[in-house]
Amino acid sequence: MYRFIFLLALLLYTGQFFVSAQNHRYVNMVNPFVGTKNMGHTFPGAASPFGMVQLSPSTGYLSMYKGGEYNREVYRYCAGYQYSDSLIYGFAHTHFSGTGHSDLGDFLIMPTTGKVNLEPSEFRSVFNHSSEEAKPGYYRVNLNSYNIKAEHTATKRVGLHRYTFDEGDSANIILDMVYNIYNHKQKNVWTYIRVENDTLVTGYRQTNGWARNRTLYFAMSFSEPIKGYGHKKFKEVVYNGFWRKFDERENFPEMAGRDIRAYFSFDTDVSNQLLVKFALSAVSTEGAIRNMNAELHHWDFDSTVSSVQDEWERELSVIEADMMTISQMETFYTAMYHTMLSPVTYCDVDGKYRGLDQNIHIAEDFTNYTIFSLWDTYRALHPLYNLIKPYRNADMIKSMLAHYSQSVHKMLPIWSHYSNENWCMIGYHAVSVIADAIVSGNLKGVDTDKVLEACINTSNQRYFDGIGDYIDYGYVTADGNSSSVSKTLEYAYNDWCIAQIAKIAGRNELYIEYMKRAESYKNLYDSSIGFMRPRNNDGTWRTDFDPMDTHGQGFIEGNAWNYGLYVPQNIPHMVKMMGGKRRFEKHLDKLFTMQIDDRYIEHHEDITRDGIIGNYVHGNEPGHHIAYLYNYTGAAYKTQHRVRMIMDTMYSNGVDGLCGNDDAGQMSAWYIFSSLGFYPVAPGSGYYEIGSPLVKAATINLPNGNRLSIRVKNQAKDNVYVKRLFVDGKIHKGHRISYKRLLSASEIVFEMRD
Amino acid sequence: MYRFIFLLALLLYTGQFFVSAQNHRYVNMVNPFVGTKNMGHTFPGAASPFGMVQLSPSTGYLSMYKGGEYNREVYRYCAGYQYSDSLIYGFAHTHFSGTGHSDLGDFLIMPTTGKVNLEPSEFRSVFNHSSEEAKPGYYRVNLNSYNIKAEHTATKRVGLHRYTFDEGDSANIILDMVYNIYNHKQKNVWTYIRVENDTLVTGYRQTNGWARNRTLYFAMSFSEPIKGYGHKKFKEVVYNGFWRKFDERENFPEMAGRDIRAYFSFDTDVSNQLLVKFALSAVSTEGAIRNMNAELHHWDFDSTVSSVQDEWERELSVIEADMMTISQMETFYTAMYHTMLSPVTYCDVDGKYRGLDQNIHIAEDFTNYTIFSLWDTYRALHPLYNLIKPYRNADMIKSMLAHYSQSVHKMLPIWSHYSNENWCMIGYHAVSVIADAIVSGNLKGVDTDKVLEACINTSNQRYFDGIGDYIDYGYVTADGNSSSVSKTLEYAYNDWCIAQIAKIAGRNELYIEYMKRAESYKNLYDSSIGFMRPRNNDGTWRTDFDPMDTHGQGFIEGNAWNYGLYVPQNIPHMVKMMGGKRRFEKHLDKLFTMQIDDRYIEHHEDITRDGIIGNYVHGNEPGHHIAYLYNYTGAAYKTQHRVRMIMDTMYSNGVDGLCGNDDAGQMSAWYIFSSLGFYPVAPGSGYYEIGSPLVKAATINLPNGNRLSIRVKNQAKDNVYVKRLFVDGKIHKGHRISYKRLLSASEIVFEMRD
């Protein structure tokens, strides 16, 4: 009955779906445009689940500096695309999804016709959204300036382009090695293009962008032979060899330097289509060729789309959710989609990858991943993997441990990015991901003592970000460090995670030591004002303290009102410390309702009006657990109310459907958990806080074979309150449910009321 | 009897030798300072035979541009050292030996005491030659400004430093990553230093020097623990990570950027010596560590010197020569020494190396070499190897074939340098080296058809340096190309070499085709003026032609008078074409006696007064065969006279003992052959021209086990003429002797007269 109504609704909603099994596929509910307007920082282009190649249109061609000044516009282009734009400069092969910092944008390919012009302002094309289509693993747009139909798909390591030209047009492919995201003056360190034969081109680019030193290799294969080619250097480098031997500008098969744009021309007399395979490798051009041959040995575009979409379907259908509206369905499955665009696969098909030490390593028994935006993703994204994709999450942890073993700092990753450590944001949250997996029994075949050693060494690297002070004083000192309170609070939680690992490893002395460190938050609570507060190394509190201000007050991307509630490891004690349940509840009430002055928001890239409820900031991570804290005040209904409110107001299936950066999938993971009715407030605890489900029903296909069914009785827009909760038919008491219980339960029934 | 007199002479000469077997070692006759004054471009530092590490003092710290102008001084510092200097800036690990172009100078190490100052003008030290000693595999100097005794030795891939400080001094090691030879503005592309632990440091440097893009990795190990370290960036690069997390200037184990100088400080309270192992790899830091562990697993400096010198002794004693004077002995064995400083070993101990395609390859059944300055070295250096070290020469050819297989141009090396093709000078002389080896039967286990294919593809690469014109017109056209005559003449010889290979491969059609191409020299002989002359594509001769001028007259580093005699593949025909034996002899007479105007020499880096006899230029390669051409005029005695004259006047055992760049050993190889009484005028022919030996006697220990003895009767300074020549007791007729004959002969006796 449900299915019939659902399909009918689909039909009515879009007008373009046939009533067929084919269309009742989750891939068709994903809208990759969600978040592409404003600050979602997502991209609409083609990608495989966790694929390295993320082939997507570039609608801006910006430099970070404009007349010596930082160009504030660039932040909108972290993922290369803004929905409001009308020009496409080409299609680049790598992108961050939803991050709050930018990089990548490698290897921009632009098809043109007629005479080649290598200036972006000349080769870009007008486009409009009516010709644009985006689905998981498929993207299409018409390049109006040339009347070229551009279509893309991508396997994990290979992008496949199909360009359809007007009959009789001569076709060009521009390979722009200058284009960059995070494009400061001289981001390119070195570039190299090599025309191996009349259909194969290889090369690499080395950049000094956000990643300090990143080299990416490619192999590009054309479906038609190259008729002619050439390049132009946009920054000359010293090279003595060529000047008297060759004219290297045209049909000379080695093009090297810093800022280069190359073109390849083709006869399209016979065929009006040109296909391009573009494979990546962080190891070598040889590796890129190997990846290409292994993943795409044919030229069948449609069958590639089909098999990539089948892969997406398998990944998406791990959770079979039914929602109240099609819009919610699309929001939910787009969120699912966005949780699988990073981390990305970072090894060749033969397992080789470039390590943090710049040496080539082999991932023997795991897939190596990169792009760990851990300050964001430890909260809900990795816990989501731990629940529904624990084997993949274990591989990610193995990637983190490999990073550790290659780190001269003897530290687990903070923000790991293509063989670089970007050191972005605070804490050492890899330990949270590890603790969550170990506590859940999901980190098999890894020596716990070695894992523990990695965690402990990380937490004791004194020169990192105030850790020395933290160890010596019990808190990060305000006079020696910025964001001292945020760091102290996160280190304390991280240390509690290490304690959980130590406990499982049977290392009691370490457990005691780290449980003690986990109490460090207490050292920064100023009971006289009722807030966490920066403290100097002489024990005095910082004066001139404004708990509303997000700048220079000991917090980062937050303030004492919201970030000060960060004690996930011991919420009952935090509540008690802050005056007990009543006072704490009032603090939360005020947080969600207070008026926040504009001056606290302006000039803050990560906090926008869109993502704010009172002084609660959903568009940024430090508060993601806060709505669930009412569970500890005896007012769980307020958690339920706020959680549903956030889902209703902060997420949608529109292009502006994200209220802030998706943050590598964390925002989306929050939505998925909350939609299912629970959320991991303290990863590593083995427990989820119960909220208010948005789904009408959902089946989670757990990897142990258990099909966990969630049913929501009396689900309706206004029925946001959980009257009763049944697990396998028995009333479930308390505001939490354990990972272990989920693993074995067959059915969870939420009974809702208004 | 001889030996006694020899030792006595040694004793008298130096005053420092003991009469012992130990001192009658050839290593003690090598003077690495030969050629270090003025334009020899040799270096005095420590090296193993064909070693990658060539650890030598840097007495200049120059930039290629001075106030926007090319700094002419830099050419004197191709090998980093000038004997006339009194300051040492440090010791770098890689050097060209005797080349006419510069690069390298990687990883300058400077020991200092007291407070660290990272400015070269401050950290450099005064030195004088009285404290300096150089022997194969050993170099010593006192750094007077610090009173540090610096000593060096080197295995193939590892430099070993020993610094002895004054008691109680605190010691520093500066690692200067900014220092470069060929140091144009921003030669450094990227540098990276990583402090792995308190004795091990790794890193790499990527440069855009003469080699367009070269990356070299290192591992540096100290005999004492590092007390403190730090670095300074002399060019800032964008990097967002560190600024708020760390102070990276001191004791922070990752130092990265473009222009960096680092220091490492040590306590020398306990020991007043500090040893440093410095290993190189073109593959990775991992490779450098592996090389270090494999080649130098101990800290015994003296035993390392001893074993490296034993290796030199084995290499030098392949020819056991006796000369008339100690000075000649030193000149001879220094020449032998200089023939083994390049090419250099270019693979790790596990066979891995970085190919021309920048991918990592494994040299399965050979040692990979680099630094092929082929326009120089095909003449006598490779023929010398082919005679005395054919297995090594075969490995060099395998390295060239690997280069070919990795070349996008499908070309054998022209000037191969650390995974780069520098395209320096003209011709495709790898085919000469290959032909010489194949004709001699010294290229075993290599598929001749594949070798031939490499040669043919190379010779048909139309876009290279006028080859298209050469094929179409029968000569390189003057209106389309510079140095058109030189190129035509060398291509013609090269094509003759290919024909010889084709003949052995039984490919008659190719033999005929290439023998035809080998006649191309005829197309540029203008019989109306009796000179080779540039010719336009319409067949007309170039007007305004000055046969004396070395600039813009169709020749490179030569003129029509001398370079025009370049037809090694068919000297009899050249003689005939130029008017017959009498006229040709007169041409040669005039060449050796004419007065050459200063204007033809000035502003020419490769031709100096020192290297000139009339218009014969010995200091540069195009004329190296000319003295032997009298053999074809019936006036062989004039060859004998000129050859002895050149040996007497152009070579010595002094610091200015080379009359021009040693050119990667070619000048030295000329001397060795000529000293033995014969010279390979046409490599690939299987014949040597007979000259006038300088040795009194010599035994060549041929690799087939034959000990070929050369005895010179009536040898004396003025007895330069060969009265009779006996091979195995029989009179040898003609002016040539074949390689095959040398292989089997027991004794060659020259009977001299005045």
Side-chain angles (χ1 to χ4, degrees), chain B residues 30-302:
Chain B
V30 174
N31 178 8
F33 290 110
V34 168
T36 61
K37 191 171 177 188
N38 299 331
M39 291 306 180
H41 289 186
T42 52
F43 59 82
S48 276
F50 304 96
M52 184 183 202
V53 169
Q54 303 185 324
L55 175 51
S56 186
S58 303
T59 63
Y61 203 115
L62 285 79
S63 279
M64 284 188 71
Y65 299 96
K66 224 170 156 178
E69 293 284 294
Y70 174 66
N71 180 2
R72 298 190 66 85
E73 267 292 286
V74 300
Y75 192 63
R76 302 176 67 230
Y77 290 89
C78 279
Y81 184 92
Q82 274 295 340
Y83 197 79
S84 51
D85 288 337
S86 57
L87 296 174
I88 282 180
Y89 290 85
F91 307 96
H93 289 80
T94 58
H95 294 89
F96 284 149
S97 178
T99 54
H101 204 296
S102 67
D103 204 345
L104 301 174
D106 296 293
F107 309 130
L108 188 81
I109 288 285
M110 181 68 183
T112 71
T113 57
K115 195 169 179 307
V116 174
N117 188 316
L118 293 176
E119 288 296 336
S121 58
E122 296 294 324
F123 66 64
R124 92 284 180 286
S125 171
V126 171
F127 79 106
N128 46 49
H129 296 303
S130 63
S131 75
E132 208 182 15
E133 186 186 351
K135 286 284 157 200
Y138 178 73
Y139 174 84
R140 170 173 65 83
V141 71
N142 200 64
L143 299 170
N144 298 346
S145 305
Y146 304 101
N147 200 25
I148 298 169
K149 181 182 176 190
E151 294 172 288
H152 300 134
T153 185
T155 63
K156 284 205 167 24
R157 300 165 181 89
V158 191
L160 181 58
H161 308 234
R162 179 166 68 184
Y163 299 114
T164 309
F165 299 86
D166 277 348
E167 219 165 309
D169 269 356
S170 72
N172 313 303
I173 294 292
I174 291 171
L175 170 59
D176 182 343
M177 307 278 274
V178 182
Y179 175 81
N180 264 303
I181 300 178
Y182 193 89
N183 194 23
H184 65 74
K185 199 178 160 218
Q186 208 50 71
K187 175 175 173 183
N188 277 2
V189 172
W190 198 259
T191 57
Y192 183 64
I193 301 172
R194 199 175 132 113
V195 183
E196 304 278 355
N197 58 46
D198 68 352
T199 58
L200 180 66
V201 178
T202 62
Y204 62 91
R205 181 165 83 163
Q206 184 181 356
T207 50
N208 161 226
W210 189 33
R212 188 167 50 181
N213 186 17
R214 189 172 64 84
T215 305
L216 194 58
Y217 300 83
F218 73 85
M220 169 168 63
S221 175
F222 298 108
S223 61
E224 301 289 327
I226 301 163
K227 203 177 65 183
Y229 61 96
H231 78 297
K232 194 173 159 188
K233 295 185 200 301
F234 289 81
K235 181 142 205 156
E236 282 299 327
V237 296
V238 172
Y239 187 51
N240 266 352
F242 283 152
W243 63 272
R244 62 179 173 200
K245 302 288 181 191
F246 313 105
D247 177 358
E248 60 167 331
R249 289 166 302 179
E250 285 187 7
N251 299 320
F252 187 78
E254 273 190 301
M255 313 175 221
R258 298 233 161 87
D259 288 348
I260 285 177
R261 294 191 184 102
Y263 68 88
F264 304 88
S265 297
F266 302 85
D267 267 330
T268 47
D269 292 348
V270 183
S271 148
N272 59 345
Q273 278 197 339
L274 178 69
L275 280 81
V276 187
K277 289 179 193 170
F278 203 103
L280 299 182
S281 165
V283 173
S284 61
T285 56
E286 194 179 47
I289 292 172
R290 192 181 296 116
N291 290 342
M292 183 188 287
N293 293 338
E295 291 191 356
L296 253 184
H297 57 277
H298 59 74
W299 286 101
D300 189 336
F301 185 90
D302 296 330

Side-chain angles (χ1 to χ4, degrees), chain A residues 27-327:
Chain A
V27 284
N28 292 325
M29 293 168 204
V30 174
N31 178 8
F33 290 111
V34 168
T36 61
K37 192 171 177 188
N38 300 330
M39 293 306 182
H41 291 185
T42 52
F43 59 82
S48 276
F50 304 98
M52 185 185 200
V53 169
Q54 303 185 326
L55 175 50
S56 186
S58 303
T59 63
Y61 203 115
L62 286 80
S63 278
M64 283 188 72
Y65 298 95
K66 226 171 159 175
E69 293 285 293
Y70 174 66
N71 179 2
R72 297 190 67 84
E73 267 292 287
V74 300
Y75 191 62
R76 300 177 68 231
Y77 290 89
C78 279
Y81 184 92
Q82 274 294 339
Y83 197 80
S84 51
D85 287 337
S86 57
L87 296 173
I88 283 180
Y89 291 86
F91 307 96
H93 289 80
T94 57
H95 293 90
F96 283 149
S97 179
T99 53
H101 205 296
S102 69
D103 204 346
L104 301 172
D106 296 294
F107 309 130
L108 189 81
I109 288 284
M110 180 69 183
T112 70
T113 58
K115 195 169 179 308
V116 174
N117 188 316
L118 293 177
E119 288 297 335
S121 57
E122 297 295 323
F123 66 65
R124 89 287 177 286
S125 172
V126 171
F127 80 107
N128 47 49
H129 296 303
S130 63
S131 75
E132 208 182 14
E133 186 187 351
K135 287 283 158 200
Y138 179 72
Y139 174 84
R140 171 173 66 84
V141 72
N142 200 65
L143 299 170
N144 298 345
S145 305
Y146 305 100
N147 200 22
I148 298 170
K149 182 182 175 189
E151 294 172 287
H152 300 134
T153 185
T155 63
K156 284 203 168 26
R157 298 165 182 90
V158 191
L160 182 58
H161 307 234
R162 178 165 70 183
Y163 298 113
T164 308
F165 299 86
D166 276 348
E167 222 166 304
D169 271 356
S170 72
N172 312 303
I173 295 291
I174 292 171
L175 170 59
D176 182 343
M177 306 279 274
V178 182
Y179 174 81
N180 264 303
I181 300 177
Y182 194 90
N183 193 23
H184 63 76
K185 200 178 158 217
Q186 208 49 73
K187 176 175 172 182
N188 277 3
V189 173
W190 198 259
T191 60
Y192 183 64
I193 301 172
R194 201 176 131 112
V195 183
E196 303 279 355
N197 59 47
D198 69 352
T199 57
L200 180 66
V201 179
T202 61
Y204 62 90
R205 180 164 83 164
Q206 183 180 356
T207 50
N208 161 226
W210 189 32
R212 188 167 51 181
N213 185 18
R214 189 172 64 86
T215 305
L216 194 58
Y217 299 83
F218 73 85
M220 169 168 64
S221 175
F222 298 108
S223 61
E224 301 290 327
I226 301 164
K227 203 177 65 182
Y229 61 96
H231 78 296
K232 195 173 159 192
K233 295 185 200 302
F234 289 81
K235 180 141 207 158
E236 282 299 326
V237 297
V238 172
Y239 186 51
N240 266 352
F242 284 151
W243 64 270
R244 60 178 174 200
K245 303 287 180 191
F246 314 104
D247 178 358
E248 60 166 331
R249 287 165 304 178
E250 285 185 8
N251 299 319
F252 187 79
E254 273 190 302
M255 314 173 220
R258 297 235 161 86
D259 286 349
I260 284 176
R261 294 190 184 102
Y263 67 90
F264 304 88
S265 297
F266 302 86
D267 267 330
T268 47
D269 292 348
V270 182
S271 150
N272 60 345
Q273 278 196 340
L274 177 69
L275 279 81
V276 187
K277 288 179 194 170
F278 204 104
L280 300 182
S281 165
V283 173
S284 62
T285 56
E286 194 180 47
I289 292 172
R290 192 180 295 117
N291 290 342
M292 184 188 285
N293 293 339
E295 291 190 355
L296 253 184
H297 57 277
H298 60 75
W299 286 101
D300 189 337
F301 185 90
D302 296 330
S303 85
T304 306
V305 172
S306 168
S307 74
V308 172
Q309 292 200 329
D310 286 351
E311 199 188 337
W312 273 113
E313 187 64 19
R314 280 193 299 279
E315 293 282 356
L316 294 167
S317 58
V318 170
I319 301 179
E320 301 167 44
D322 294 333
M323 318 286 281
M324 287 172 281
T325 68
I326 293 296
S327 157

